[in-house]
Amino acid sequence: MLYDKAVNFILVFTAAVAVQFPNNPTSAMSADERLFLGENKKSEQSNESGHEVEIDAEDNKKFLDDAMKAVLDPATVIVKNIDIVDNFKTQLNEIDKENSTLEIFIDEMDKLSLEVCKASQESLWDFVTDINNDYKKKKMIRVAAEEDEIKKQYWMILKKKYADDQRITNDLKLKRKFRIIKERGTNVQMPQTKQREEIDTMQRIWSRTTVCAFNATVCDNENASRTMSDIISIFKTSNDTNELVYYWKAYRDATGKKIQPIFKDYVARMNDVALAENFTDAGEMWRYAFEDEDFLRTVDRLWREIKPYYDNLHSYVRAKLKNYYKQELKDDSKLIPAHILGNLWAQEWQAIYSKVAPYPEVARPSVDENVNILAKDLFNAVDDFHQSLGFDSSKDTYQDIKESIPTVNCLPSSHDMCDGVNYKIKWCGERVYDITVGLSRAARLLGHIQYFKHYRNLQPLYRDGPNPAFHDAISDIVAVQLTSPKYLQTLSFVKVTTGVESTINHLFWLALEKFPLMAYAYVLDKWRWDIFANSSMEKWNEHWWDLRIKETGISPPVPRNESDLDPAAKYHVVSHVQYITYFISHILEFQILLSLCKKANHTGPLHECSIYGDKEAGKLLSNGMSLGASEDWQTVLYNMTGESELSTKGIIEYFSGLNDFLKEETAKLVRDNEDMDTSAPIIVGIIVVILTLLMFILYCVKKRDASSRLFSLCGLSKNGSLDIAANELSQGKANESAVGVSEAKL
């Protein structure tokens, strides 16, 4: 039963990233949440990232088939006679046999690609809206597989028949199309070939993962087992470090440790595919989509520029967490153990917001308990923002949304039905509990729809973002605008506090999502690029933790060795999906936002900018979106920002106020901790001295009592000389004289 749920989860997850062509992720959730669809009412109420999926499902439809087919057992029965698929195969064979010109070939292949895209999206939508229908699931898998086969054969036939055509080199438009066809055709080769045994095996291991419950004496039934979704919820809510360490290790034992022996064969096979396409290794084949021959240096440069901001956030969070985890943070290593950051992969930290908030007494934006906010209220707010920029309304895409109880296998997603007319949104949930999370998700979903609509009139090959990061970047711009305290004030159904403290809290909330995710994405793909490029490297897990510690300051809570393969605890690693997209998309998001705010003549801090109602800013954004993938990303970026290179200026400027605050507050926290550490021995010493004196006094008192009793036996009391004198007086004088001798005088 658990395995069946996992299979459906993978299918829905990969299906949910539904776009016509492979580059754009459309999930409204963040890196983690895109992986898990097991959100319930409880997890919705928790403080989680608006990007979340991490909570947590992720990403690129280019690997739609990978995850869907890989999690199925070899014995799974697939529908074999679907007329529409057979028809596509027939058309493809006919095109291959024709001796047509390059232009005619591309035109015919585009028409076929568009038809299979329509069929694929239709079957996909049928499944995600009825995930328990086995026939719809099998049909979706079959049609999606054919869609990838079309992409593969498009490239193979073009390479075989037309690669030597000089017009591909001389004609810029043909050259652009050639590159797009190659990128999409090579990306599906490994998942499509019969040589994908390693990916199949790794995904089956990953999809079946369950671990015994913490402190369980037996683990022979479902109640004593914990799924990945259960573990994610535990990481968000538990404060028991023993429990967290247990699940952190148990999950990696059940995934990475088992996958480790298979991974070397996978790497070798992937590199063989890359070499066959004239790439030096699989990492270079992946990076081809970013159209930057110096992409490695570009990514390193971007990370070096934002790392000081990440480091300041990391130092502040560590200092605050000392109040909760003194034992785990007692050394001077300046590292944070991976299990105490509220996330199974420590890649998003919003779950620990309540522990580390700068101003915990200032409440986050909320909805009145007596007000029932529905999904349509969120989408109406987003749609109003879009219309204020001059965009067409997208009400038709969400007007039929059903408010339903969230299920384990439900993931919000945006769908381009590939006909240039119909666009759909799949929503999950019954009621909005976190207004910031809800608005962020709605903004991302509708942001993808707006992007689809802007490039719908382009040729089929161009209906996409110019590189894999643009779709997320564009949809995140409105999401970050909508959730600012200043804008939330304009929404009648939101309770929000404004002011400096509220603004700092809001920026901190965003930073807990964006910076850790960027750091994780950088390290994860840098590790994979290194593995692909260095066949002689042996200590893979050691290299992972070297990067994780050096670049992100995150350490394993327990010792690791080469029998482990901790990166393989991530879905993207076992499924051959690159992750650097998230790093680049956040850079682009704020780079474009900075340009839009300049167009709107904004003055002051960037985080205070609102482009709501500014038609000029809207036109600039619209023009860039309308280019789709018809131009390379440098040209599209130049049209939107006047810059042709990726720049961190936007994200640095947006978080500059928070960064200054964090540096100052961290210094105070460190001083306080140091003062406490320094004064603690002195305080303990004083207490010891006082206790010693008290014990000595008590000892003396007891000794004195004992002596008094002894002296009494000898005729002495309190003072021996007094008793003697008194006795003498009583014998030689009258009683009245004795009475006249006062104790005071004596």
Side-chain angles (χ1 to χ4, degrees):
M1 182 178 180
L2 288 173
Y3 175 59
D4 292 337
K5 289 180 180 178
V7 169
N8 274 339
F9 156 67
I10 299 281
L11 290 170
V12 176
F13 156 58
T14 48
V17 289
V19 294
Q20 175 182 348
F21 289 113
N23 288 338
N24 20 320
T26 62
S27 167
M29 297 178 164
S30 79
D32 279 346
E33 275 181 346
R34 290 186 193 116
L35 290 183
F36 295 115
L37 309 171
E39 299 210 73
N40 52 30
K41 186 177 293 185
K42 183 177 179 181
S43 64
E44 283 285 352
Q45 293 181 56
S46 65
N47 291 332
E48 63 190 17
S49 159
H51 226 169
E52 280 194 2
V53 142
E54 23 265 228
I55 234 170
D56 348 190
E58 286 157 77
D59 324 85
N60 295 326
K61 184 175 177 289
K62 74 174 67 172
F63 297 101
L64 177 64
D65 296 339
D66 314 0
M68 288 191 297
K69 292 185 294 183
V71 295
L72 300 176
D73 283 324
T76 300
V77 177
I78 302 294
V79 177
K80 295 185 181 298
N81 295 312
I82 300 178
D83 292 340
I84 190 170
V85 172
D86 293 335
N87 181 45
F88 291 148
K89 290 182 180 293
T90 300
Q91 291 184 60
L92 182 60
N93 290 333
E94 290 176 355
I95 293 173
D96 189 16
K97 292 176 182 177
E98 292 176 359
N99 190 22
S100 57
T101 64
L102 175 59
E103 290 83 0
I104 293 175
F105 167 73
I106 291 178
D107 184 57
E108 290 182 347
M109 283 301 298
D110 279 355
K111 290 178 181 177
L112 177 58
S113 298
L114 197 55
E115 288 303 312
V116 75
C117 182
K118 292 176 184 177
S120 178
Q121 291 302 309
E122 184 179 337
S123 64
L124 174 59
W125 180 256
D126 287 344
F127 173 67
V128 299
T129 54
D130 188 11
I131 61 171
N132 295 317
N133 188 308
D134 193 52
Y135 172 78
K136 291 180 179 179
K137 177 174 72 174
K138 293 173 181 177
K139 180 179 178 180
M140 177 197 66
I141 293 171
R142 176 75 167 162
V143 177
E146 187 60 26
E147 184 180 25
D148 270 3
E149 181 64 24
I150 295 293
K151 295 170 188 173
K152 175 186 173 183
Q153 292 303 323
Y154 199 164
W155 166 237
M156 291 298 186
I157 297 171
L158 180 64
K159 181 172 62 171
K160 177 179 66 177
K161 290 187 174 183
Y162 306 100
D164 295 331
D165 194 316
Q166 291 301 312
R167 288 173 299 169
I168 292 176
T169 304
N170 300 327
D171 187 313
L172 293 180
K173 289 298 179 184
L174 283 175
K175 186 176 181 180
R176 179 71 184 154
K177 289 182 178 181
F178 185 88
R179 184 183 182 92
I180 293 172
I181 295 166
K182 177 181 179 180
E183 187 256 317
R184 292 168 185 166
T186 54
N187 273 330
V188 298
Q189 280 196 53
M190 179 61 181
Q192 270 274 309
T193 61
K194 296 178 181 178
Q195 299 178 325
R196 55 166 288 123
E197 291 91 347
E198 291 83 16
I199 294 179
D200 286 349
T201 305
M202 290 190 298
Q203 283 196 324
R204 277 196 291 271
I205 292 171
W206 187 90
S207 66
R208 291 171 170 173
T209 297
T210 60
V211 303
C212 291
F214 178 62
N215 284 337
T217 54
V218 293
C219 193
D220 56 0
N221 59 65
E222 192 169 324
N223 291 331
S225 298
R226 296 293 178 265
T227 64
M228 184 164 45
S229 184
D230 296 329
I231 297 171
I232 283 183
S233 296
I234 290 168
F235 266 78
K236 283 187 170 185
T237 57
S238 176
N239 292 316
D240 185 337
T241 55
N242 291 327
E243 180 184 32
L244 293 171
V245 168
Y246 167 78
Y247 282 118
W248 189 94
K249 182 178 183 299
Y251 177 73
R252 283 156 178 78
D253 287 347
T255 52
K257 189 181 284 289
K258 292 182 179 179
I259 288 167
Q260 191 270 350
I262 309 164
F263 203 75
K264 285 187 183 295
D265 291 335
Y266 153 76
V267 170
R269 207 181 289 270
M270 274 307 311
N271 278 339
D272 289 342
V273 173
L275 289 171
E277 290 294 345
N278 296 319
F279 294 103
T280 58
D281 58 66
E284 185 187 29
M285 187 168 72
W286 263 346
R287 296 189 295 271
Y288 182 76
F290 287 94
E291 299 185 70
D292 182 352
E293 293 184 359
D294 218 10
F295 190 62
L296 286 171
R297 290 186 181 178
T298 297
V299 170
D300 285 341
R301 170 181 64 82
L302 296 172
W303 174 243
R304 284 196 304 272
E305 291 171 5
I306 66 167
K307 189 175 186 297
Y309 283 65
Y310 170 83
D311 287 343
N312 286 334
L313 177 68
H314 177 282
S315 297
Y316 175 83
V317 167
R318 189 181 191 278
K320 292 280 278 190
L321 285 178
K322 270 196 168 184
N323 295 325
Y324 299 88
Y325 305 107
K326 290 182 174 62
Q327 185 65 28
E328 288 75 14
L329 300 172
K330 65 180 180 180
D331 59 37
D332 296 325
S333 66
K334 298 184 178 180
L335 302 176
I336 302 178
H339 66 298
I340 61 173
L341 287 163
N343 181 275
L344 181 56
W345 301 276
Q347 68 173 52
E348 286 178 337
W349 303 348
Q350 286 181 325
I352 61 167
Y353 173 83
S354 60
K355 292 183 175 73
V356 297
Y359 298 105
E361 69 281 2
V362 178
R364 290 187 58 238
S366 62
V367 177
D368 193 289
E369 293 181 359
N370 298 321
V371 178
N372 188 22
I373 299 300
L374 303 178
K376 289 181 182 178
D377 298 314
L378 303 178
F379 284 108
N380 283 333
V382 179
D383 194 56
D384 173 65
F385 198 105
H386 285 157
Q387 289 187 70
S388 81
L389 299 176
F391 296 175
D392 293 337
S393 173
S394 295
K395 275 189 170 62
D396 57 319
T397 64
Y398 64 85
Q399 61 185 0
D400 296 327
I401 281 179
K402 296 178 181 178
E403 305 290 341
S404 59
I405 297 175
T407 62
V408 172
N409 291 324
C410 187
L411 175 69
S413 52
S414 304
H415 297 254
D416 180 351
M417 305 309 289
C418 299
D419 58 6
V421 177
N422 295 297
Y423 308 90
K424 298 181 179 181
I425 287 177
K426 176 73 170 68
W427 182 258
C428 308
E430 182 181 34
R431 182 179 175 183
V432 176
Y433 292 94
D434 190 313
I435 189 62
T436 305
V437 172
L439 277 172
S440 295
R441 288 179 176 169
R444 291 183 176 103
L445 289 169
L446 216 55
H448 288 301
I449 296 294
Q450 282 293 344
Y451 211 160
F452 296 153
K453 294 174 77 171
H454 271 76
Y455 56 58
R456 62 184 167 186
N457 294 322
L458 296 175
Q459 296 176 38
L461 274 175
Y462 297 149
R463 296 180 191 177
D464 197 0
N467 77 24
F470 261 78
H471 247 276
D472 266 355
I474 295 296
S475 61
D476 272 6
I477 289 172
V478 172
V480 80
Q481 289 267 291
L482 274 171
T483 55
S484 70
K486 183 178 179 180
Y487 183 80
L488 289 175
Q489 258 193 317
T490 67
L491 301 179
S492 60
F493 53 83
V494 178
K495 295 191 301 182
V496 59
T497 303
T498 58
V500 174
E501 294 179 349
S502 176
T503 298
I504 289 293
N505 276 356
H506 171 65
L507 291 172
F508 184 73
W509 169 262
L510 288 177
L512 288 178
E513 172 205 346
K514 296 185 183 296
F515 285 99
L517 180 58
M518 294 174 75
Y520 185 86
Y522 172 76
V523 167
L524 184 63
D525 274 8
K526 187 174 180 61
W527 178 82
R528 288 196 283 183
W529 295 339
D530 289 346
I531 297 301
F532 285 133
N534 297 284
S535 58
S536 61
M537 183 182 292
E538 295 182 354
K539 296 185 177 181
W540 289 1
N541 208 51
E542 180 181 295
H543 184 53
W544 164 253
W545 284 110
D546 285 346
L547 288 172
R548 199 77 165 103
I549 290 170
K550 176 185 176 183
E551 302 295 348
T552 68
I554 304 299
S555 62
V558 293
R560 314 305 288 155
N561 57 50
E562 290 308 307
S563 68
D564 303 306
L565 190 66
D566 294 325
K570 192 70 177 169
Y571 169 83
H572 297 70
V573 174
V574 302
S575 299
H576 184 65
V577 179
Q578 61 179 332
Y579 211 71
I580 201 66
T581 298
Y582 297 107
F583 179 85
I584 301 299
S585 70
H586 285 324
I587 299 292
L588 279 170
E589 170 190 349
F590 292 98
Q591 185 173 0
I592 296 171
L593 177 61
L594 177 60
S595 176
L596 296 177
C597 289
K598 288 179 179 178
K599 192 68 175 178
N601 296 317
H602 171 75
T603 57
L606 183 59
H607 66 263
E608 293 181 358
C609 164
S610 174
I611 60 172
Y612 179 84
D614 195 291
K615 296 294 194 296
E616 289 301 311
K619 184 179 179 181
L620 181 62
L621 181 60
S622 179
N623 289 342
M625 294 164 70
S626 298
L627 290 172
S630 64
E631 302 286 352
D632 59 71
W633 69 265
Q634 291 93 338
T635 301
V636 175
L637 184 63
Y638 184 82
N639 276 271
M640 301 176 79
T641 67
E643 301 169 312
S644 57
E645 291 185 354
L646 292 170
S647 169
T648 60
K649 185 179 178 181
I651 192 169
I652 286 175
E653 186 172 331
Y654 192 91
F655 289 101
S656 61
L658 175 66
N659 190 56
D660 293 341
F661 171 85
L662 293 179
K663 284 192 290 186
E664 184 177 337
E665 289 300 307
T666 302
K668 291 179 183 178
L669 289 169
V670 170
R671 282 197 302 271
D672 291 345
N673 287 332
E674 288 176 348
D675 290 344
M676 181 63 70
D677 293 341
T678 302
S679 59
I682 298 174
I683 295 172
V684 171
I686 292 172
I687 293 173
V688 169
V689 170
I690 293 173
L691 289 174
T692 303
L693 288 172
L694 287 173
M695 292 174 66
F696 180 75
I697 293 170
L698 289 172
Y699 172 79
C700 292
V701 169
K702 288 185 177 181
K703 290 288 288 183
R704 181 175 181 181
D705 290 343
S707 299
S708 297
R709 288 194 295 272
L710 179 62
F711 292 154
S712 296
L713 295 176
C714 302
L716 299 173
S717 64
K718 296 181 182 179
N719 188 312
S721 60
L722 174 62
D723 288 344
I724 293 172
N727 286 333
E728 290 176 348
L729 286 173
S730 62
Q731 292 174 2
K733 294 186 178 181
N735 284 341
E736 54 270 20
S737 299
V739 173
V741 180
S742 70
E743 184 175 351
K745 291 181 179 178
L746 289 170

